[in-house]
C-alpha cells in the first residue's frame, strides 16, 4: 500500500466507523453464530501474494462484522463497559501511526513525560493523594500482579527476587475479589493455598474483623502476612470494602495494601462519589481502569504507587544495552511494569481528558449513574422483581421473583430469562451468583446509551418475564 492509498483508506475507515456508530442500535448486540462459524469462512493458510485492501475490507464486512459482539452498542449492559470515544480513537490512531515505544525516557521523551503528566492529571481528578505516582499498565490484572510482586519483595527485604521464597507469605482478599488477585498471587509464587479469602457481610464487602483474625492466625502459625487487596466495586456486584478500616489493619501489621478500584474507582471523578476512595491514602498501591468507564479505549489501566522505589527495585533490570546517560534524572517506565516494550497509551488518554475536560467526563458518568438508579427504582417498584445488592454506581443486580418459587427454581427461571433477553439481540446483559442466588447484572456505561434505551430494555425484561415457563 502506498501512502496515497493509505490516505484514501484512512478516510474511508473513519467514514465507516461514523456510520457504524450512527446505526449501531439497529444491529443485534450479540451475533447469531455457533462455535466455529467464523473460522470456517477463513482460509486456513496465509496468503502468498498481496491482496487488495478493498478485498480485505469487503471480507471484514462479510465475515468479521457479523461475528462481533458490539461492545459499544447502546444496549450492551453485560460485564462492565469498556467504552471508547472519538477523541480516544484519534489518539490511539496517532499512537499506532507513530509506532513509538516508551520503555526508556530516551526511546521517546514525550511518551514518558506525557504519561507522567496525564497520570498526575487523573490522580487529581480521582482525588488521590499527591504522594501517589502513576504508570499506565495494560490492565488491572497486570497492575495487581505488580502490586503483589512488590509486596513479596517488601516483605522479604527484596530477597525473594534473588533467592526465591524461603518462607510462606500470605495474601488476603475478600471472597468477592476479582479472579486476577488469585491469578496474580499464583504467578507471583505465593501459592494458592496461601491466599486467604476473607468472608463478606450482607452487602458483599470484606469484614475487617475477619481479616484481623486471619492475620493473627497466620502470624501464630508462622506465616508472614505480605499483602492485602481490598476492592472498591467488586466485579459481581460493585460491593465496596471498608477501605479505611482495612488500611489501618495493614498499617498496624506493616502489610502491603493494594486497592483494586478497576471499575468503580472511575466514579471518584464525581465529588459525590469521592467517598468511594476514602482511606485509599493508606494504600501502598491502587488501580483504576480508564479503559472501562472513562471513554478511553482498551488498553489503559492507571496504576498508582505511594513509593515508586519499591516497585522499581522489584522490577528493574539493567542490561548494558538499556543503559543511558540520563538514567538518574528520568523515569524509565520499563522498570514500573512487567513488559519491556510499551506503547504510547498516554496519547489517547491525553486526547480524552482534554477534549471532554473534567466536567464533560463528570457529566457522562453522572448520567450513567442516574440511569442506573432510575432502572433500580423501576425494579424495586415492581412486585415480581427484586434488587439483589446495593448499587453505589451504575451496576444494578436484580432478579425475577414472583414469590411463588424456591430459590433453586428461581435460579433456573432467571437463567432462562437472561437467555431469552440475550437471544432477542435487543440487549445483552450478564449474570453472577450472590450467596446462592442467580442474579442478572445490568451495567450501564456506554457512550451512546440514553434513557430511552434503558427504558426499552426494562420493557423487554418484563415482556420476557411474562413468557417464562412457570
Ligand atoms: C475488570 C476488573 C478487573 C480486571 O480488569 P482487567 O483490566 O481486565 O485486567 C479487576 N478487578 C476488578 C474489580 C474489575 O472490575
Amino acid at each position: 500500500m502506498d501512502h496515497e492509498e493509505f490516505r484514501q483508506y484512512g478516510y474511508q475507515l473513519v467514514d465507516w466507523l461514523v456510520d457504524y456508530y450512527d446505526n449501531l442500535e439497529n444491529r443485534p448486540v450479540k451475533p447469531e453464530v455457533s462455535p466455529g462459524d467464523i473460522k470456517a469462512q477463513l482460509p486456513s493458510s496465509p496468503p502468498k501474494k498481496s491482496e487488495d485492501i478493498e478485498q480485505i475490507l469487503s471480507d471484514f464486512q462479510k465475515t468479521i462484522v457479523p461475528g462481533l459482539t458490539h461492545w459499544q452498542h447502546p444496549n450492551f449492559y453485560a460485564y462492565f463497559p469498556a467504552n471508547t470515544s472519538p477523541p480516544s480513537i484519534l489518539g490511539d490512531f496517532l499512537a499506532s501511526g507513530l509506532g513509538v515505544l516508551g520503555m526508556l525516557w530516551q526511546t521517546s521523551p514525550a511518551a514518558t513525560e506525557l504519561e507522567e503528566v496525564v497520570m498526575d492529571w487523573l490522580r487529581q481528578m480521582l482525588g488521590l493523594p499527591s504522594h501517589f505516582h502513576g504508570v499506565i499498565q495494560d490492565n488491572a490484572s497486570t497492575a495487581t500482579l505488580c502490586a503483589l510482586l512488590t509486596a513479596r519483595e517488601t516483605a522479604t527485604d527484596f530477597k525473594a527476587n534473588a533467592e526465591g521464597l524461603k518462607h510462606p507469605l500470605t495474601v488476603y482478599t475478600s471472597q468477592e475479589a476479582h479472579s486476577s488477585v488469585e491469578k496474580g498471587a499464583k504467578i507471583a509464587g505465593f501459592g494458592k493455598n496461601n491466599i486467604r479469602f476473607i468472608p463478606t457481610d450482607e452487602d458483599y464487602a470484606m469484614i475487617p474483623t475477619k481479616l484481623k483474625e486471619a492475620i493473627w492466625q497466620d502470624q501464630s502459625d508462622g506465616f508472614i502476612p505480605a499483602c492485602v487487596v481490598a476492592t472498591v466495586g467488586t466485579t459481581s456486584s460493585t460491593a465496596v470494602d471498608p477501605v479505611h478500616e482495612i488500611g489501618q489493619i495493614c498499617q498496624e501489621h506493616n502489610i502491603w495494601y493494594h486497592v483494586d478500584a478497576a471499575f468503580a474507582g472511575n466514579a471518584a471523578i464525581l465529588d459525590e462519589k469521592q467517598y468511594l476512595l476514602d482511606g485509599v491514602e493508606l494504600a501502598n498501591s491502587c488501580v483504576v481502569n480508564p479503559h472501562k468507564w472513562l471513554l478511553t479505549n482498551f488498553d489503559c489501566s492507571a496504576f498508582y504507587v505511594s513509593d515508586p522505589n519499591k516497585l522499581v527495585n522489584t522490577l528493574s533490570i539493567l542490561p548494558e544495552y538499556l543503559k543511558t546517560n540520563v538514567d538518574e534524572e528520568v523515569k524509565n517506565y520499563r522498570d514500573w511494569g512487567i513488559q519491556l516494550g510499551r506503547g504510547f497509551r498516554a496519547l489517547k488518554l491525553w486526547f480524552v481528558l482534554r477534549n471532554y475536560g473534567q466536567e464533560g467526563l463528570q457529566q457522562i458518568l453522572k448520567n450513567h449513574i442516574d440511569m442506573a438508579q432510575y432502572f433500580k427504582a423501576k425494579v424495586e417498584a415492581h412486585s415480581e422483581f427484586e434488587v439483589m445488592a446495593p448499587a453505589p454506581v451504575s451496576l444494578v443486580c436484580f432478579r425475577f421473583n414472583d414469590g411463588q418459587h424456591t430459590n433453586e427454581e428461581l435460579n433456573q427461571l432467571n437463567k432462562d430469562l437472561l437467555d431469552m433477553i440475550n437471544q432477542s439481540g435487543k440487549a445483552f446483559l450478564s449474570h453472577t451468583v450472590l450467596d446462592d442466588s442467580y442474579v442478572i447484572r445490568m451495567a450501564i456505561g456506554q457512550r451512546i446509551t440514553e434513557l430511552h434505551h434503558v427504558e426499552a430494555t426494562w420493557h423487554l425484561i418484563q415482556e420476557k418475564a411474562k413468557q417464562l415457563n412457570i
Side-chain angles (χ1 to χ4, degrees):
M1 187 187 306
D2 63 30
H3 287 171
E4 274 315 308
E5 276 181 287
F6 174 51
R7 188 194 305 281
Q8 179 196 335
Y9 290 116
Y11 287 130
Q12 196 173 313
L13 280 192
V14 172
D15 286 342
W16 188 88
L17 273 179
V18 170
D19 292 339
Y20 171 78
Y21 287 134
D22 285 347
N23 298 301
L24 195 43
E25 67 184 293
N26 303 321
R27 296 179 188 267
V29 191
K30 224 160 64 86
E32 281 281 325
V33 294
S34 307
D37 279 358
I38 315 296
K39 248 176 12 190
Q41 298 174 61
L42 298 166
S44 54
S45 49
K48 287 221 161 48
K49 298 233 180 334
S50 166
E51 296 185 74
D52 281 351
I53 290 289
E54 209 71 67
Q55 188 59 46
I56 300 170
L57 286 177
S58 141
D59 289 343
F60 165 74
Q61 306 222 33
K62 209 173 67 208
T63 314
I64 305 301
V65 176
L68 292 175
T69 299
H70 299 286
W71 276 71
Q72 307 305 317
H73 196 292
N75 288 317
F76 182 102
Y77 306 106
Y79 314 111
F80 281 137
N83 61 20
T84 183
S85 63
S88 177
I89 297 163
L90 293 178
D92 203 31
F93 180 66
L94 269 185
S96 292
L98 296 171
V100 305
L101 296 194
M103 65 267 214
L104 315 179
W105 179 84
Q106 172 174 286
T107 59
S108 259
T112 295
E113 294 188 15
L114 185 65
E115 183 161 338
E116 286 182 52
V117 169
V118 291
M119 283 293 91
D120 199 64
W121 286 1
L122 184 63
R123 178 193 66 71
Q124 295 173 45
M125 287 168 64
L126 295 168
L128 296 173
S130 57
H131 65 271
F132 274 29
H133 300 267
V135 55
I136 301 179
Q137 303 281 359
D138 51 356
N139 53 43
S141 307
T142 309
T144 295
L145 172 58
C146 290
L148 286 160
L149 290 166
T150 312
R152 185 192 74 193
E153 290 312 299
T154 305
T156 58
D157 208 12
F158 296 88
K159 290 206 179 82
N161 258 341
E163 300 170 6
L165 276 185
K166 298 253 149 121
H167 209 91
L169 305 178
T170 43
V171 174
Y172 307 80
T173 196
S174 93
Q175 286 170 346
E176 293 289 320
H178 190 263
S179 53
S180 57
V181 180
E182 177 177 332
K183 198 178 197 175
K186 285 181 189 163
I187 297 170
F190 290 94
K192 175 163 185 202
N193 296 344
N194 297 322
I195 310 172
R196 309 287 180 248
F197 295 98
I198 307 301
T200 53
D201 64 16
E202 67 283 0
D203 288 340
Y204 308 104
M206 192 195 289
I207 304 172
T209 52
K210 299 279 182 196
L211 171 65
K212 253 191 217 172
E213 285 166 21
I215 292 171
W216 284 332
Q217 186 64 50
D218 282 330
Q219 282 172 333
S220 72
D221 291 347
F223 293 95
I224 302 172
C227 188
V228 174
V229 182
T231 314
V232 171
T234 58
T235 313
S236 260
S237 71
T238 52
V240 179
D241 288 343
V243 175
H244 196 270
E245 240 180 302
I246 296 171
Q248 286 173 322
I249 297 170
C250 291
Q251 288 207 321
E252 223 169 277
H253 295 275
N254 199 19
I255 302 175
W256 187 276
Y257 185 27
H258 176 63
V259 175
D260 174 2
F263 172 70
N266 288 291
I269 67 166
L270 295 164
D271 293 339
E272 66 272 24
K273 293 292 171 189
Q274 216 151 63
Y275 74 88
L276 289 168
L277 292 177
D278 278 356
V280 78
E281 65 279 4
L282 300 178
N284 299 93
S285 55
C286 98
V287 61
V288 176
N289 278 354
H291 72 220
K292 274 188 166 157
W293 198 5
L294 222 49
L295 288 305
T296 308
N297 64 284
F298 195 90
D299 52 348
C300 183
S301 178
F303 180 49
Y304 290 95
V305 283
S306 63
D307 183 352
N309 286 332
K310 290 196 169 137
L311 176 68
V312 170
N313 282 345
T314 299
L315 297 175
S316 85
I317 40 139
L318 194 54
E320 190 53 39
Y321 51 83
L322 291 180
K323 287 182 186 158
T324 71
N325 294 333
V326 289
D327 284 345
E328 299 299 310
E329 297 161 59
V330 298
K331 278 190 181 142
N332 288 318
Y333 274 128
R334 63 145 199 255
D335 291 334
W336 290 58
I338 289 164
Q339 50 188 182
L340 172 63
R342 53 204 304 287
F344 193 178
R345 288 172 293 216
L347 202 53
K348 62 190 172 192
L349 187 56
W350 191 51
F351 272 52
V352 168
L353 298 184
R354 291 187 63 186
N355 189 239
Y356 283 104
Q358 190 165 349
E359 288 173 6
L361 291 169
Q362 285 169 332
Q363 192 53 47
I364 291 171
L365 266 59
K366 182 178 182 315
N367 188 35
H368 291 151
I369 294 170
D370 287 349
M371 288 192 285
Q373 299 307 320
Y374 171 90
F375 178 83
K376 180 177 170 230
K378 291 283 179 191
V379 172
E380 272 168 341
H382 197 296
S383 59
E384 294 191 343
F385 285 90
E386 58 183 339
V387 172
M388 300 296 284
V393 284
S394 59
L395 168 73
V396 181
C397 294
F398 70 100
R399 71 170 177 179
F400 168 81
N401 183 359
D402 59 0
Q404 310 289 317
H405 294 87
T406 64
N407 200 55
E408 207 173 310
E409 289 165 346
L410 286 174
N411 286 350
Q412 187 58 47
L413 286 169
N414 279 282
K415 189 172 181 307
D416 295 344
L417 175 59
L418 181 62
D419 285 344
M420 288 195 291
I421 296 164
N422 288 345
Q423 274 161 18
S424 76
K426 291 185 181 142
F428 181 27
L429 285 72
S430 60
H431 79 278
T432 188
V433 172
L434 292 173
D435 292 326
D436 289 324
S437 302
Y438 187 98
V439 170
I440 302 177
R441 296 168 75 266
M442 173 93 172
I444 299 176
Q446 302 307 334
R447 180 175 57 90
I448 54 179
T449 300
E450 295 176 26
L451 191 58
H452 71 88
H453 295 113
V454 174
E455 271 173 333
T457 301
W458 172 230
H459 286 297
L460 174 75
I461 294 165
Q462 294 171 80
E463 181 197 315
K464 295 296 175 193
K466 288 205 191 93
Q467 296 164 17
L468 280 171
N469 198 1
I470 48 184

